[in-house]
Each structure stands twice: as structure tokens, then as C-alpha cells.
Amino acid sequence: MKIAVVGTGAMGSTYAGLLSAAGHEVWAIDTWVEHIDAINRDGLRVEGASGDRVARLSASTSTGDPGVCDLVIIATKADGVTAAARSIDPLLGPESVVLTIQNGLGSAERIVEAIGPERVLVGIAGGFGASIRTPGHAHHTGWETVRIGELAGAVSPRLRAVVDVWRNAGFPAEVAENVHRMIWEKFICNVGFSGICTLTGLKMGEVTDNPDAWEVGAGCAREAWEVARALEVGVRFDDPVAHVREYGRAIAEARPSMALDHLAGKRSEVDVLNGAVPVQARKVGLRAPYNEVVSALVRQRETQFAT
Ligand SMILES: NC(=O)C1=CN([C@@H]2O[C@H](COP(=O)(O)OP(=O)(O)OC[C@H]3O[C@@H](n4cnc5c(N)ncnc54)[C@H](OP(=O)(O)O)[C@@H]3O)[C@@H](O)[C@H]2O)C=CC1
Ligand SMILES: CC(C)(CO)C(=O)C(=O)O
């Protein structure tokens, strides 16, 4: 299969490297020139829970270079989805499928607004704890399930084909029959760690082991779960604190991407993660005080960042 990964940061590089190692023709597309140059020069090294390999693949800063692809994976942050989706026209033929994979709420709506719903699959990656070590070198602490679904929920042949591509590259991958639920189940895990790890500097396992930090992380997760329940999302776990704790302990050494963004002096996805909980809570007449405070503190810090 010919695949373009648009946004080859920490997660996109992990996807691109493993899909390329499985024998697919993969193009890495990113706006970060140094990273693209390093991939073209030395290959893309993906190291961590999946092993350690250098994948030889083509990389570019332009979606004009690869030509038509069977599968386009958008792996930017949430705020990059619209621009990325608007740039992929040269990659699309009549049968091309676009898979967008972000944390948080709103990416599915963003991509549909940019390119319509017909081609779109939505994915959620579980615990990876991925980061870029140096240009051309990605690391991932975990290798948990990637869930992929059709927006409308039907399990189509193209969905099964895409899930098989991921499985055959070694990813634990699953068909998701309910995209909305899939997004919320991960969202609840993220909000338990993203804000508190960012504010404290602690790794995920250190947060679960620290009673004060965990009071805040668990409070954030519980609020999101209560909102999901009020919205009748159908989340499949009844004890959000135990579930989210277990999720974090599986990748105890990881730092969430929000924390990595702050370490790099960059604005984070707070508006679609902890900051989205109070917004959703208001819709169902609830309050989310842990998330209100955590997201306010994260945003306050971000006023000091240039990007
Ligand atoms: N890191 C992790 O362990 C996990 C992350 N996720 C989610 O996956 C998504 C991606 O995260 P992550 O990989 O960490 O993020 P990164 O910031 O590491 O990677 C995103 C990359 O996309 C680039 N980019 C932005 N806009 C465009 C564009 N229009 N065209 C091409 N490239 C573009 C960015 O460049 P620039 O920086 O210059 O904008 C950056 O290199 C997020 O939603 C995150 O929450 C999900 C599971 C685990
Ligand atoms: C919680 C974590 C680390 C799981 O991979 C993640 O999704 C993120 O970095 O935002």
C-alpha cells in the first residue's frame, strides 16, 4: 500500500517507521525541515517498546511530492488537523482513505469540515508515550492498541483493510464500532495525566504514586467520566480512577505530549483535553472544578510561550 503520514512528529514517525518496515511505500510529510532532512539522509529510527530499527523512506515538507496514496494518515496535533487536511488534495485519488489520529475532542469534526465525511476514518492511539529524541529519531515507551472506526459506525471493507495494514505492521489494532465512545474512553485517560504531569513535571507513574498529584489527576479523570455518563456516551468502565491508574502504570516512565510540549516551550492541546471538560460539563449542567483549575494553570503558563 502507498501511505503518506502527514505530521510525522512523535506518533507520526512511529507510525511511518513501522509501516515502512512492514514493506509499505511510506512518505513522511512534516513542516519540520531538520527532521525531514535527517530522515532523507539517515533514515527514520524508531526505538522503544516495538524494538529498534531504521526505516528507509521518503520524506518531504510538501504534500505535492508523493503523488496519489491509498492511505493518508493525519498525525498532527489537534490544532494542525484543519491545515493538514486542506493540504492533502494532491495525495487523494478516487479510492484514497484519510485516517486522522489525535487525542482529545473535536478532530473528527475538524476534518469533516475541511474535506467532507466520505473518505474519513478516525483513529485513537492508546498508551505510546512517544517523543522525538533528535531529528530523525523517535522513541515510544508503550505500544498499546490503535483503534480505528468509520465516522458513521458501520464496519466497512475499507475499514477492515486499513486495520489489517496496522496489524500486519505489528500494531495491536482493532476495529472500533463506536467512534464517539472510543474518543471519550481515551479522553478520560488523557485528562487524568496531561494537565497534572505538565504542571508538576512528574512522569505518569510518579503521578499515580504521589497522593497529592494523584488526587488532582484522578479528580480530572472522574469529572470527565461523569460528563461522559451524563452525555450517555456509553463508556465501558465503571471505575474511572482504577481504570486511569492502570492505564498510567502501563507506561509509568512516559510523559504526556502536553508535558513534552511545555518542555519544548510550545503551546499544548489543553483546549481539547483538560480545557474541554468544563465546556462539555456545562452542556449537561455539571461543573468540572479540577479541570477548570488545571486548564487555567496550563493556559497561564502558555502565555509565556512564543508558539
Ligand atoms: N505522543 C504520544 O505518546 C501520543 C500522542 N497522541 C496524540 O497524537 C497526536 C500527535 O501527537 P505527537 O506526535 O505527540 O505530536 P508532535 O507535535 O510530536 O507531532 C506533530 C507534528 O506535526 C507537524 N505538523 C503540524 N502541522 C502540520 C502540517 N500542516 N503538515 C505537516 N506537518 C504538520 C508538527 O510540526 P510543528 O511542531 O512544527 O507544528 C509536528 O512535527 C496528538 O493529538 C497527540 O495528543 C496520541 C497518543 C500518544
Ligand atoms: C497519555 C499518553 C502519553 C499515552 O500515550 C498520550 O496519549 C499523550 O501523550 O498525550
Side-chain angles (χ1 to χ4, degrees), residues 11 103 125-130 186 189-190 193-194 204 247 251 254-258 260 269 273:
M11 292 298 283
N103 281 331
F128 273 69
K186 176 75 191 291
C189 294
N190 281 123
F193 292 102
S194 297
M204 291 172 65
Y247 178 90
I251 48 171
R255 296 183 197 280
S257 47
M258 186 185 288
L260 296 177
E269 296 180 299
L273 294 170

Side-chain angles (χ1 to χ4, degrees), residues 192 196 200 202 204-219 222 241 245 249 290:
I196 189 65
T200 59
L202 296 176
M204 291 172 65
E206 290 168 342
V207 163
T208 60
D209 289 346
N210 180 300
D212 290 324
W214 185 235
E215 162 70 24
V216 177
R222 197 183 308 109
V241 175
R245 188 195 294 114
R249 286 199 170 151
Y290 280 102

Side-chain angles (χ1 to χ4, degrees), residues 4-8 27-33 36-37 40 58-69 84 87-91:
V5 182
V6 181
T8 36
W27 277 79
I29 309 290
D30 202 280
T31 44
W32 185 14
V33 177
I36 292 300
D37 287 348
N40 280 325
S58 305
S60 174
T61 54
S62 168
T63 51
D65 286 337
V68 168
C69 292
S87 77
I88 60 175
D89 205 42
L91 303 172

